[in-house]
Amino acid sequence: MQLDRAHFDAMTAGDAGLQREIADLFRTQVQSWDDALTPEGDWRRAAHTMKGSARGIGLWPLAQACEAAEAAPEEEVALRLQTLRATLAEALGALDALTRELKTA
């Protein structure tokens, strides 16, 4: 997954410390969203909240997966949530890569 680094840099004025803090906050939020991303959970709220956060830091594929899940007809919800979880894992990988990069910079 791609993190739109130019967008993230613009949103944080290129401040590496702020970027690390935001990445950590996003990871913390993911823990609460992850529990809700089941057909029985409050997944629509989680997907909507995650979409906004993903857009804020430039995780466009994650934001798109959230939007697709929100718009899914009931019979597609389980599949859309599965896709959303996979995309979320990729987003976390991108944030991990960013964190490693910021530590070496």
Side-chain angles (χ1 to χ4, degrees):
M1 164 172 297
Q2 295 285 342
L3 168 66
D4 184 340
R5 186 62 187 268
H7 177 78
F8 195 42
D9 284 347
M11 297 303 289
T12 59
D15 183 320
L18 180 58
Q19 290 175 343
R20 283 191 300 273
E21 183 178 342
I22 289 171
D24 289 343
L25 285 171
F26 187 86
R27 281 189 203 89
T28 299
Q29 287 181 308
V30 163
Q31 293 171 359
S32 65
W33 297 330
D34 192 49
D35 292 340
L37 293 179
T38 66
E40 301 78 30
D42 193 5
W43 66 267
R44 286 188 193 276
R45 180 184 296 192
H48 185 75
T49 304
M50 190 182 328
K51 176 178 68 178
S53 293
R55 285 179 175 164
I57 61 177
L59 291 167
W60 308 125
L62 179 58
Q64 291 169 344
C66 290
E67 191 169 342
E70 286 183 293
E74 199 60 38
E75 62 273 7
E76 291 182 20
V77 166
L79 177 61
R80 295 293 184 170
L81 290 178
Q82 183 179 10
T83 300
L84 178 52
R85 284 177 165 280
T87 308
L88 177 57
E90 292 175 13
L92 291 173
L95 288 178
D96 289 345
L98 172 69
T99 301
R100 286 190 302 274
E101 178 186 323
L102 292 173
K103 285 182 181 178
T104 62

